[in-house]
Amino acid sequence: MRVNLDLSLIKANDTIIVANNRQVLAIKKSISKLNGTSKMPKVSSYKSWLEGNWNQNNPSRSLRLLTQFEVRFLLKEISKEDVTSNPEAFIDELIKCYTICKTYFIDITELSSYGAIPPKLFIGWISKYDKFKTANKCIDHTDLFRASLKSLKTQNKEGKYYSYGFNEPTPEQKKLFEILKCRPMLHQGQNNNIPAFSFNNQDNELKTIAKWAKEISINNPDKKIGIVIPNLNKLQHIVKAIFDLEFTSTLIETHQKPYNISLGIPLGHYPLIQHLFSILQISTQFIKGHINHELLIKVVTSPYIKGAKSERDSRALLVSKVLKIGATESSVNKIISLLDKCPLLKEIFIEINTIKTSKTISLEDSLDSVNLLLSCWGFTSDRVLSSSEYQIFEKYQTESLILNKLSIYYKKTNLVNALDILSAHISAVIFQPKSGLSNIHIMGSLEAEGLFFDHAWVSSMTSNFLPGRIKMPLFIPSKTSIEHKLPNSSFELVTKESKKTLENLNNLSFDTTYSYPKNSSNREELPTPYLDFDEFPFEGLSEDLPRDLEYIEDFKASKIIEPSIKKGVKTLQDQMSCGFKGFTNRLSIDNFEEPHIGISRLEQGNLIHKILETFFNEIKTSTKLLQLSDNELTLLIEKHTVSAILKIPNSNFKVNEKNRLLAIINEYLDLEKQRDYFEVLETESASEVNIEGLKFSTRIDRMDKMASGTKLIIDYKTGKNIKASHLTGNPLKEAQLPIYAITNSVDGISFATINSNNCEFKAITKNKFELPISKQASNKMPDWDSQLTEWKSSLISASQNFQSGVASVLPAKNACDYCNYDLLCRIDKSSNNR
């Protein structure tokens, strides 16, 4: 990476002011290669030069220069009452508008004359900010030019001054260059004959660029290669994945990769920092006395805390214990009681639990508390950090000192607020671990401007990039923007800036290639109008370039050999919900019980079934039920309840469950009393069914006979989301009762919902008045004979599909439990239902 400039006349006492830090490095490398380090001039970015000059000419200064984060923090505090959503993007725009006003010499107080609300708010915030700076004797980087103006005009200037890399200097920059008598440095030569290619999609484009770079690098390892991706901030992870795959460098440290990406990511996005803040967050939960289980699992499995290696297996078992608790959080003492197999972790927990922190502390003291907590956890002590991790942690330690700097703005706060402030700062810091001496540089268009390579490729040359679009600052009126010729404020300026950008890209190398994808993220792209594109000649590439995928029909399994199956009701239900879900019943996958406390939901449901089975084996008719006195009924319910829970171990859970069952069963029997005459014919009766050749066993909760001689099947349901509509439609949401209906000679089916919320019947019957249901539900009830025909058709079709192996991934709504059938369905549909 270097520059294409004539540097032969540059002397050691000269000064070069450039647009960014990359240009600083490129010029220094170019001069070093030309003259060695002995004649190295002063090379600085515009911002660094202003700051250095101000420091040099104000040795006994009484003003303090605010850091960028301090400026961000102060403006965020000043405007927080007026910001309701997306505060970070809002502050970005606020700082941008503030900087524009200062560098374009726009009088902020005059913006109110336009009457719009945003400028008025902007003026108010900046006024408060300026008052704070005055009161606390502070300035920020936008004040440096004015603060240095007097000394700039009078100081003796050694050597000559040059400027480089500024497409269109701001009025402030122009003024400085005029005072310093800067001479602009221009490119040597021009590359105007540049090939441009189109690709079908973005993946093909990026993979081709990676192969191109690899081939050049292998054949000419000393050549410098520049790859420009204008929308790198959005594509960074995709670019990294593609280049890692091409260079087989996925597991290689950043500084050892054969390429480097210029754009970093927020420091808070790195796993090491995420673990660090999880540890600090759980430490604050010790103060409250309760620990969140999800956070606990993340912390105890962290590879960065003390004992991570030696207690790895024991901590994995601890996770299992925590999951079995079932609740979302537990007391600190409860968690500590589970740590007998993890002595090192238990030691940490006990130590953290004994640390006393004041309710109100200064930010400066909070940093000491943070470091103490990390020390207790033995953070980063259990294993040697990789080079990237070391750089990330070192960067965190440097940036955490922001709490010391901000302590002057906060008299007192608490540890939780201090961590929020620290987290916000860390998330705002963009960081990239240092790259090695790679010859392949991947960067955005702004980072690339002014640099020169042996070979260059500029991708994503779409109309969204060039010419771009008009962008008006949020807080600066459009009339003001146009008058001061702010960037991208008019079609004329957009066109001018686009042509300048294209000129800079042309000057990246004497061997440059342009390209654009016709499709990006499933969105059609248009090429920039400044270039003519040809189709890229894929025939010239090696065979392992991306090809069209071949699809095979894989939605059908072989026919089943044995038509007798277990769990037939569930199988047909799943087959109707989703063909693939039905197919999984062939795989004999064991069910697993979710973690729970005390008696599980399944056990509670089984208890109700058992109580009602024995109760109605004794009380066979509604006549006998009505003849029971309240006291007799209570004693009878208690007898059958005690019998049902006899085998459950004694505990407070058992006592509570007994009381719950007594209340629920009593309420349900009150519902049964409202019915006309009925006789219980069967309870929990097993029978064999055959649906279109598919044979399986069923168990009917109960079958009643009415006074008219009609028969009704009742299925007890203890859940809370049971509806009569689940028995109709295509597909059926509840297939059990319809299966009973078509395989037994009955005249109605009904859910009996039995839970603490309510007890009621939800039915489809031939005689709509045989059960105590609402008039509205009765009116919605379909005709029995028609519904019976519809059930037979649906269930016969499901049986045939299951037996023939139909396993297409097309789930009905809410069909999926633990596997992401919805995702498979979307893939399936996008592949034309392959």
Side-chain angles (χ1 to χ4, degrees), residues 270-301:
Y270 288 100
L272 181 141
I273 303 302
Q274 291 176 341
H275 279 261
L276 183 148
F277 277 101
S278 293
I279 288 167
L280 294 175
Q281 185 181 351
I282 203 171
S283 298
T284 63
Q285 292 184 1
F286 277 84
I287 301 171
K288 299 176 182 178
H290 284 80
I291 295 177
N292 178 272
H293 288 175
E294 185 178 348
L295 182 62
L296 173 67
I297 291 170
K298 182 174 182 180
V299 169
V300 300
T301 56

Side-chain angles (χ1 to χ4, degrees), residues 664-675:
I664 290 176
I665 297 298
N666 188 69
E667 184 177 347
Y668 172 65
L669 292 177
D670 282 343
L671 177 67
E672 290 278 8
K673 289 178 182 180
Q674 300 173 35
R675 295 174 57 186

Side-chain angles (χ1 to χ4, degrees), residues 225-254:
I225 302 168
I227 298 171
V228 178
I229 303 175
N231 49 346
L232 182 59
N233 58 330
K234 295 181 180 179
L235 298 179
Q236 183 175 5
H237 295 294
I238 297 175
V239 171
K240 182 178 182 299
I242 288 174
F243 273 75
D244 273 346
L245 186 63
E246 181 61 39
F247 287 88
T248 60
S249 59
T250 301
L251 300 178
I252 295 177
E253 276 286 319
T254 300

